[in-house]
Amino acid sequence: MILKSNVTKSIGLIILFALFLFFICASVIYGYTDITWKTAWNAFFQFEEINEHYIVKNVRLPRALIAATVGASLAIAGVIMQTLTKNPLASPGIFGVNAGAGLAVVIAVSIFSVANLHAFTWISFLGAAIAAFSVYAIGSYGREGLTPMKLTLAGAALTAMFSAFTQGILVLNESALEQVLFWLAGSVAGRNLDYLIAVFPYILFGWMLALLLAGKLNVLSMGEDVAKGLGMKTGLVKLTSAIVVILLAGGAVAVSGPIGFIGIVVPHITRAIVGIDHRWVIPFSGLFGGILLMAADISARYVIMPKEVPVGVMTAIIGTPFFIYIARKGFNSR
């Protein structure tokens, strides 16, 4: 059911934001260590030198904030990529952006022994940028020009290549494997707020740019010829949109490693609820993305308790059936 009026969409956005805050609280509460809502409250306002309070402030809260930020960023990046490419399967994971950022970080760790968080941020951005422009260039090559099918194939091929290079480097460097193995599976566990603080200014800038681009993306989605006829500088809009994707996907990978399927699933759910107006799709997708990743992370804590499944595995379990459905629906309709 699509929310049609701006009033109902505004109310829906407020409700979704309240749900977003609830999942942040739930992420702080639920897990292997039994923590009550009262204990969590006291950890912030009546802190004591006890184990539960340390877990809440130093483990659970950073984890919740990272999951919320990463999920929102990947979802918004997915919205923009699907609009730019007119491909229902476009996302940072499928188009190799995550894999490119991951490979760049692995090279930095294993070959150049980089351990600085701020360096990770820029390296991740660089890898994401190289991957994004490589996919676009390969997908545009040929007589037919840029098509959704060619983009998907180019993204799949480069993702496989980047993943193979990553695995090859790690096989030759066991010490680097130990450092990045859990990170490569995609996880928000074991990160402190320093990871998020290092990239959050870039991610916040990416969110703001995405909201500013919303109206132009509405016009661009009607077709490039129409957009040019209305006086839009489509090249500038596309370049700015690509920068947003690099900032959001690269920043997310720098914090949590490559996490897939959020960027595919969330935009489709959002459009089914609010329609195709990007002024609503982008904020709704950001909240939905954060909620989905936090829900997946909470579930990951209980699957094989007391151990945890990397959240990237949980998003793959959720997203794979949806990916197959979208692939069949999208390409069968062409």
Side-chain angles (χ1 to χ4, degrees):
M1 181 181 71
I2 296 179
L3 302 178
K4 295 184 178 180
S5 71
N6 288 339
V7 174
T8 56
K9 289 176 182 177
S10 297
I11 294 172
L13 191 63
I14 293 170
I15 294 172
L16 193 63
F17 182 69
L19 188 61
F20 181 84
L21 294 178
F22 169 79
F23 268 90
I24 291 178
C25 296
S27 183
V28 171
I29 298 296
Y30 297 112
Y32 177 67
T33 301
D34 187 26
I35 293 174
T36 64
W37 290 83
K38 182 179 179 181
T39 301
W41 176 270
N42 290 337
F44 292 106
F45 300 103
Q46 298 178 16
F47 184 79
E48 299 177 12
E49 301 286 335
I50 59 175
N51 187 50
E52 288 80 2
H53 286 189
Y54 276 111
I55 290 174
V56 167
K57 294 193 71 172
N58 299 327
V59 179
R60 296 274 180 85
L61 180 62
R63 184 169 179 171
L65 295 177
I66 288 171
T69 302
V70 169
S73 299
L74 293 176
I76 293 172
V79 169
I80 293 174
M81 292 184 75
Q82 289 174 14
T83 300
L84 286 180
T85 64
K86 295 180 174 59
N87 188 333
L89 300 179
S91 76
I94 299 302
F95 274 26
V97 178
N98 286 355
L103 174 60
V105 171
V106 168
I107 290 174
V109 172
S110 60
I111 297 178
F112 299 103
S113 301
V114 175
N116 183 276
L117 289 177
H118 292 281
F120 272 3
T121 302
W122 289 105
I123 291 166
S124 183
F125 288 152
L126 177 62
I130 292 172
F133 288 117
S134 297
V135 170
Y136 187 84
I138 295 172
S140 302
Y141 184 77
R143 187 175 301 175
E144 295 179 359
L146 189 69
T147 66
M149 178 63 80
K150 287 169 64 178
L151 274 174
T152 303
L153 293 175
L158 285 180
T159 298
M161 184 182 74
F162 292 147
S163 298
F165 285 162
T166 299
Q167 293 170 10
I169 292 170
L170 293 177
V171 166
L172 298 175
N173 192 331
E174 293 184 4
S175 61
L177 175 62
E178 293 177 0
Q179 294 181 48
V180 301
L181 183 59
F182 199 72
W183 176 85
L184 281 173
S187 177
V188 295
R191 273 69 167 168
N192 57 45
L193 278 180
D194 289 340
Y195 284 83
L196 181 60
I197 291 170
V199 301
F200 189 74
Y202 309 105
I203 289 176
L204 180 61
F205 182 63
W207 289 349
M208 295 170 62
L209 269 182
L211 291 172
L212 291 174
L213 284 170
K216 292 179 172 57
L217 290 174
N218 285 340
V219 177
L220 191 62
S221 65
M222 294 188 293
E224 191 161 350
D225 292 337
V226 174
K228 288 181 177 178
L230 294 172
M232 177 183 290
K233 297 180 180 179
T234 57
L236 180 61
V237 172
K238 289 182 177 180
L239 177 61
T240 307
S241 300
I243 291 172
V244 171
V245 170
I246 291 166
L247 287 173
L248 297 182
V253 171
V255 177
S256 64
I259 295 177
F261 296 103
I262 297 290
I264 293 180
V265 173
V266 172
H268 290 283
I269 294 174
T270 303
R271 293 189 192 101
I273 295 174
V274 300
I276 60 174
D277 187 344
H278 287 82
R279 293 172 297 179
W280 294 103
V281 171
I282 287 173
F284 267 85
S285 292
L287 293 175
F288 269 128
I291 290 170
L292 180 58
L293 190 56
M294 284 187 285
D297 182 47
I298 293 170
S299 302
R301 304 173 193 180
Y302 290 93
V303 174
I304 54 173
M305 189 179 281
K307 296 182 179 180
E308 294 186 8
V309 175
V311 72
V313 175
M314 294 302 298
T315 58
I317 292 172
I318 296 170
T320 299
F322 196 90
F323 174 84
I324 295 171
Y325 169 76
I326 293 298
R328 290 176 59 86
K329 181 182 176 182
F331 290 115
N332 286 342
S333 63
R334 294 184 183 279

